[in-house]
Amino acid sequence: MTETIAEIEIPDSALAAEATELVREAASPLLFHHSRRVFLFGSLQGRRLGLRADPELLYVGAMFHDLGLTETYRRTDQRFEMDGADEARRFLTAHGVPETDIRLVWEAIALHTTPEVPYRLEPEVALVTAGVETDVLGIGYGELAPEQIAEVTAAHPRPDFKRQILAAFTEGFKDRPDTTFGTVNADVLEHFVPGFRHIDFVEVIENSDWPS
């Protein structure tokens, strides 16, 4: 029987089920519930914005978007967003998903912390970001019906979420601080890692090898 939360159907294909189990095994309950809310809030925002995404692709994008914060899938040589995007590519390729669809999911995950740009791209890309922005930043929160929000959070609770997600972010990239250059992630490290100072773009230009 298809699971429905806030009038949003959770994809019940074999691929979606495997994605769910992969994330459930790799991620903490915090990240698992957050990822499911990202799908649900992204879908709800899509209805509001008139954007129709392929539910299965949106689901994989939402579920994999924070895998780079987990011990299993995190690396130390690239942005955490790309860890999840790369794993989604491997997962979808193994399931014979067409490259055009894989690219959508990869971009959805890789760009989910990049403001504005995703909304100019395909719905699958835009709505992963919309779900993240609703759940983490509260953007679009007031545009959703209170009963929708209540149903989503009843199914996937978020106790002490603000503090816990910031701790998960810090733990997820404190050992690769240079990868936060030019991203919102540098703000997290400046707040929670003593002595960290973000790479300054102006200083990079001024101190480059060019004589003038």
Side-chain angles (χ1 to χ4, degrees), residues 68-166:
L69 300 177
T70 69
E71 287 297 324
T72 303
Y73 296 102
R74 67 196 303 264
R75 292 170 49 170
T76 58
D77 61 339
Q78 64 182 16
R79 290 173 56 166
F80 92 93
E81 300 94 331
M82 294 176 67
D83 295 340
D86 289 347
E87 182 54 34
R89 175 177 290 282
R90 286 188 287 270
F91 176 82
L92 294 172
T93 298
H95 284 80
V97 174
E99 175 57 31
T100 52
D101 290 343
I102 294 173
R103 178 186 60 81
L104 290 180
V105 176
W106 193 95
E107 290 181 356
I109 299 170
L111 295 174
H112 81 265
T113 60
T114 302
E116 297 189 67
V117 173
Y119 290 99
R120 300 293 184 94
L121 302 175
E122 291 88 344
E124 291 78 8
V125 181
L127 296 182
V128 169
T129 289
V132 170
E133 289 181 345
T134 299
D135 200 45
V136 178
L137 303 175
I139 295 173
Y141 176 91
E143 304 298 329
L144 299 179
E147 57 269 24
Q148 292 175 324
I149 295 172
E151 191 168 342
V152 170
T153 55
H156 296 288
R158 38 173 291 148
D160 195 27
F161 179 72
K162 293 180 180 180
R163 185 188 65 81
Q164 289 194 33
I165 196 64
L166 286 169

Side-chain angles (χ1 to χ4, degrees), residues 74 169-178 180 189 193 196:
R74 67 196 303 264
F169 289 154
T170 304
E171 187 63 30
F173 38 78
K174 69 182 183 182
D175 59 349
R176 43 176 159 175
D178 287 353
T180 66
L189 298 188
V193 176
F196 175 81

Side-chain angles (χ1 to χ4, degrees), residues 174-192:
K174 69 182 183 182
D175 59 349
R176 43 176 159 175
D178 287 353
T179 68
T180 66
F181 173 55
T183 78
V184 296
N185 303 325
D187 294 344
V188 175
L189 298 188
E190 285 202 341
H191 274 270
F192 298 107

Side-chain angles (χ1 to χ4, degrees), residues 13-24 59 64 91 95:
S13 64
L15 185 149
E18 279 193 46
T20 300
E21 288 311 304
L22 183 151
V23 177
R24 194 191 301 273
Y59 186 75
F64 280 56
F91 176 82
H95 284 80

Side-chain angles (χ1 to χ4, degrees), residues 19-82:
T20 300
E21 288 311 304
L22 183 151
V23 177
R24 194 191 301 273
E25 290 179 8
S28 64
L30 168 78
L31 294 179
F32 177 79
H33 288 298
H34 165 55
S35 298
R36 293 268 287 194
R37 290 195 305 271
V38 166
F39 170 74
L40 292 163
F41 286 140
S43 298
L44 290 169
Q45 296 293 6
R47 288 185 178 181
R48 181 178 70 83
L49 296 169
L51 298 176
R52 299 187 63 171
D54 179 295
E56 192 174 58
L57 297 181
L58 178 59
Y59 186 75
V60 174
M63 293 304 293
F64 280 56
H65 85 279
D66 271 350
L67 280 183
L69 300 177
T70 69
E71 287 297 324
T72 303
Y73 296 102
R74 67 196 303 264
R75 292 170 49 170
T76 58
D77 61 339
Q78 64 182 16
R79 290 173 56 166
F80 92 93
E81 300 94 331
M82 294 176 67

